[in-house]
Amino acid sequence: MSKEINYSLAIDFGTTNLKTAVYENKRVSPLKLSNDISGKVYEPNIITRSKRKDGSYEFEIGSSAENLLYDIDADKMKFVYNVKKHLCEENWNIEFYDGYKADAVELSSEIFSWIYKRVTSKKGSNLPKKTVITFPVTYSEMQVNRIKKAAELAKINVDAVISEPVAAFFSFEETKDFFDDAEDGDEKIFFILDFGGGTIDAAVIKIKCIDDNFKVSVLSSYGINYGGSNLTDSIINDIIFPSVTADERKFLKERGYHFIHEIDDKKIRMYSDEDDEVDEDYFISEHKMEVNYRFTSDEIENILDKTSLKKELTKMFDYMLEESDVYKDEDEISVHFIGGGSCIPYFRNILEEYFETDEIEDFDEDETMGYVALGAAYYAGMLSGDINVKFENRSAYQIVGEFESTGVYLNRQTLYENKTIKKPLTLIKFDDGRRYMKFYQKFTSKSERIYLGYLDLSDSKYDTAEVFDLKICYDGRIEAEIYGHKNESLGKEFIIVEEI
């Protein structure tokens, strides 16, 4: 009889790449999804539908979908790259060549199902004890809920979701050394910048040893909706397109994802190999068209200099340290730069200049792209009870509601296990007697508000309801306590994170 395998699983559902890792026998290790001999521990996040020999269609995901980019019928096929970004869009959907229609949640579910089948097949059909999925800091509660829904549709029991830079924290050698060597009262502060395919996320984290136990507190976490895919778009639109003929430009635009993918790959290879220039031919034989394109690191830096990214990042760093009560001139801060975009010197220089350090580890593709999955696997091990760490996970957004005309926002960072001051109710009342209060979220006071969910206060016990307060529970749910006109508590409800 085969020995039962006990393991916990982490899925890093990246914008550009898919990665998994497992916690097993008190160790974490990457789990290779690909069946090829490339040695890569990640698969591209790409999905399409291909035609079988019997005339039916099936989903192709990862490298198998990527290989179809060079198929003779590739022009007729629809490829969805960065499907994760479409989770941020309302009413997005796509119709494939065979007429099959799907939205971002359904496609994400197909990808999760594909991942899960590959993982469990490598583990003798045994299911994981715990499963953790990562998400960007900038994702709203609604977007996180869509990730959960996609996983549930794939028959995956999700035990927790965790933001990407926070997950990465658990994979650093410095973190592990602290767990092994720290004495009572010792503490350490980490600043983590994660430059992924769709977002730049950051977190300030403090770890402290208290009576041989450990407390991990996320003091601040913020992000910017800019990633490696945005830079790739700029290389194409601002460098390559102006340098080719109108016919060549039309041809490259028609190639769509096929060409975008090539530039994305060449960009990473250029920086990884420390080259200053890419000079290539793009040739498709059936079209009898060959296009020479070129871009340099200096041209990319000029594009970045014209953006407000340096200013935005510096302001974000300032705000995060202020919110965390951390001072870069006084406190010792361990700075880490991870993600596929960490190979780009422009952003590394911003980080090193701000923190006045040259101790940030050099870019290593396998390591930096594996931190999030490995750390999330370690967190999964914590959930299974193998690791004695108290973890306070926080997200960045502010909560606003129909009361926002008062100009007061409820910063989520202050809501963990603490109630706010009481706020007046502003209800939506329907003809059938139902009563709701809508809530929204913002990442800064100037950013656009995003729908979060609602309180259902239709129960007759809330007939005299006048005010409420909130707190964030450690499981991530947002609890409201409702009070009547005599200041008595009428009951507690959780914000329902979905449309009314």
Side-chain angles (χ1 to χ4, degrees), residues 10 12 17-21 29-44 114 122 364-371 373-374:
D12 178 9
N17 293 298
L18 306 165
K19 288 141 286 187
T20 59
S29 58
L31 188 67
K32 184 180 173 183
L33 291 170
S34 175
N35 292 323
D36 62 29
I37 60 173
S38 67
K40 290 182 179 179
V41 296
Y42 57 87
E43 282 279 285
W114 175 83
K122 292 174 182 287
D364 180 289
E365 185 174 7
D366 287 337
E367 282 191 4
T368 196
M369 294 184 71
Y371 281 134
L374 290 172

Side-chain angles (χ1 to χ4, degrees), residues 46 64-71 74-75 79 255 257-258 261:
I46 175 175
S64 63
E66 190 176 60
N67 292 337
L68 290 171
L69 291 169
Y70 309 103
D71 190 270
D75 282 352
F79 293 86
R255 297 302 295 167
Y257 171 73
H258 313 67
H261 172 74

